[in-house]
Amino acid sequence: MEGGAKTCTGCGRVVDEGNNMVSEVGFVEGSNGRMGVQGQFVSASGSMRFRSNASGYNRNSREQTVQQATNRLQELASKLKLGNSHVEQASRLYSLALSHNFTTGRKKEHVAAACLYIICRRDKTPHMLLDFADATQINVYTLGHTYLQFCHLLNMELPVMDPCFYVHRFCARLNFEDKTQAVVQSSLRIVQRMKRDWLQIGRRPAGICGAAILIAARMHGFHRTNEQILGVIRMSSTTLKKRLAEIEATPTSELTAAEFGTVDLEEEMDPPCYTDGLRRDEINAARKKKREEREKKRAEKEEKKKKKRKLKQRNEGAEKEEKKKKKRKLKQRNEG
């Protein structure tokens, strides 16, 4: 190999001239007398090229698209108070989306917001999909659909968000004054207890936080209504009532406010899905038993009806035979 070219040691034939890329910069004079750079510049990614002309470099459409997406990401990050590192990581994800043609048939704003949300999920920042929907004025279900499709395309598994990340944020918006930290600590303790009782699995973090904060606020003397909590966590009243009902079914609900801070229960509840399954099995078994009892009573009634019908037919047959005998005797007497 000489000068980057592969040659045969036997005959001297050049097999491969090697890489013709050089680091020197050459200049040529155009027909109009203006000087220009000779050759092409290849960026660090290797896929974005810049063509040269007399006035300098012109970026191609792909680079312009990525730059526009970066500008959108910076604008969205400023609304959500995110740093430049999140924007850079989201920009690289957007480049991956372009490489896989994921932006085809989708709005660029949706893809950019989905990329930034993935970075927030991966870095475990206290941001929800609803925050992105509000900042971009995009329907949350449309944004969630784009996010799930992109994760499926890249085969990406994101960590499950811990409800503890949202407790400080929600408590700060509910204005607990100088007892904010105490309410936060109690809420975190309730969330940890809910984890031990399997109440967190399969539930949205906002609903878990809402129920924990509502109970912690009542423990510290703050009367926060369900509507105030729902306005912060942005969940339905049905979800909040279900979470409260699940907590009520655990041994933790039997503790007083003073005992809750000192007593650590070692008993763990079974998962709600397991207890619900047992309850459904009991209900189905009771229904089956009632159904069998009804069928048994119906069969007994049918049996009694059959017996009555047979007895009636037998009696009617006996009466008919008796009448026939009387008629025959009377006829024979008359004839005699």
Side-chain angles (χ1 to χ4, degrees), residues 20 37 48 58 72 95 101 116 119 141 148 153 218 225 238 250 266 298 306 328 331 334:
N20 293 325
V37 181
M48 303 178 187
N58 287 330
R72 291 192 186 94
S95 299
N101 295 325
L116 190 58
I119 298 302
Y141 295 104
L148 291 175
L153 174 66
R218 301 286 175 84
T225 62
T238 305
T250 63
E266 297 182 358
R298 191 181 299 115
K306 285 181 180 180
R328 276 197 300 269
K331 186 177 180 181
N334 293 332

Side-chain angles (χ1 to χ4, degrees), residues 124-137:
K124 297 182 179 181
T125 61
H127 293 86
M128 298 187 298
L129 192 62
L130 279 170
D131 300 328
F132 286 82
D134 289 341
T136 56
Q137 296 299 310

Side-chain angles (χ1 to χ4, degrees), residues 55-333:
S55 59
Y57 296 117
N58 287 330
R59 294 180 301 178
N60 62 5
S61 60
R62 181 185 178 87
E63 179 67 16
Q64 292 177 0
T65 302
V66 174
Q67 185 59 42
Q68 292 173 0
T70 304
N71 295 336
R72 291 192 186 94
L73 290 169
Q74 288 176 345
E75 183 181 354
L76 180 58
S78 63
K79 293 180 181 178
L80 298 173
K81 299 179 181 180
L82 294 170
N84 291 329
S85 62
H86 297 92
V87 176
E88 293 174 1
Q89 295 179 67
S91 180
R92 288 194 289 269
L93 268 183
Y94 193 88
S95 299
L96 279 176
L98 284 175
S99 302
H100 290 81
N101 295 325
F102 185 74
T103 56
T104 305
R106 296 179 178 86
K107 293 185 177 181
K108 298 177 181 178
E109 294 83 1
H110 297 183
V111 179
C115 292
L116 190 58
Y117 177 69
I118 289 174
I119 298 302
C120 291
R121 282 286 300 271
R122 195 168 61 186
D123 293 349
K124 297 182 179 181
T125 61
H127 293 86
M128 298 187 298
L129 192 62
L130 279 170
D131 300 328
F132 286 82
D134 289 341
T136 56
Q137 296 299 310
I138 301 173
N139 185 282
V140 65
Y141 295 104
T142 304
L143 188 58
H145 183 63
T146 305
Y147 150 72
L148 291 175
Q149 283 185 327
F150 191 39
C151 289
H152 180 71
L153 174 66
L154 299 180
N155 196 20
M156 187 180 300
E157 294 183 2
L158 296 176
V160 178
M161 291 303 295
D162 193 341
C164 297
F165 292 127
Y166 301 102
V167 171
H168 293 82
R169 171 186 170 184
F170 293 151
C171 288
R173 295 177 61 182
L174 287 168
N175 190 21
F176 291 117
E177 301 173 355
D178 57 340
K179 290 187 178 181
T180 300
Q181 191 61 28
V183 176
V184 168
Q185 293 298 328
S186 298
S187 301
L188 292 175
R189 189 175 176 84
I190 294 173
V191 170
Q192 293 297 329
R193 184 62 207 181
M194 293 174 72
K195 288 181 182 179
R196 292 181 61 184
D197 289 334
W198 298 83
L199 299 182
Q200 181 193 357
I201 306 300
R203 269 73 175 171
R204 292 184 180 179
I208 300 292
C209 290
I213 293 173
L214 179 61
I215 296 172
R218 301 286 175 84
M219 288 169 56
H220 290 277
F222 293 99
H223 183 71
R224 295 291 185 268
T225 62
N226 291 6
E227 288 72 18
Q228 290 175 314
I229 300 294
L230 294 173
V232 173
I233 65 173
R234 304 184 67 177
M235 299 289 288
S236 65
S237 59
T238 305
T239 302
L240 183 60
K241 290 178 181 178
K242 284 183 179 180
R243 299 293 88 80
L244 293 173
E246 289 173 352
I247 296 174
E248 187 180 2
T250 63
T252 307
S253 61
E254 300 177 1
L255 300 177
T256 63
E259 291 174 345
F260 182 76
T262 56
V263 178
D264 189 12
L265 297 175
E266 297 182 358
E267 180 185 0
E268 293 184 5
M269 292 290 293
D270 293 324
C273 60
Y274 176 75
T275 55
D276 290 343
L278 290 179
R279 194 179 300 112
R280 281 195 298 268
D281 292 341
E282 292 176 358
I283 293 173
N284 292 334
R287 288 177 178 174
K288 184 178 180 180
K289 186 177 180 180
K290 288 182 179 180
R291 194 183 306 116
E292 291 175 352
E293 290 177 355
R294 286 197 300 267
E295 290 177 356
K296 186 177 180 181
K297 289 181 179 179
R298 191 181 299 115
E300 290 177 354
K301 288 182 179 179
E302 290 293 331
E303 188 66 24
K304 288 181 179 179
K305 286 182 180 179
K306 285 181 180 180
K307 289 181 178 180
K308 287 182 178 180
R309 199 179 300 117
K310 288 181 179 180
L311 182 60
K312 185 178 180 181
Q313 290 176 356
R314 190 181 302 157
N315 294 334
E316 289 177 353
E319 289 178 357
K320 286 182 180 179
E321 287 295 329
E322 187 67 25
K323 287 181 179 179
K324 286 180 180 180
K325 287 180 180 180
K326 287 181 178 180
K327 285 182 179 180
R328 276 197 300 269
K329 288 181 179 181
L330 181 61
K331 186 177 180 181
Q332 291 175 359
R333 190 182 301 161

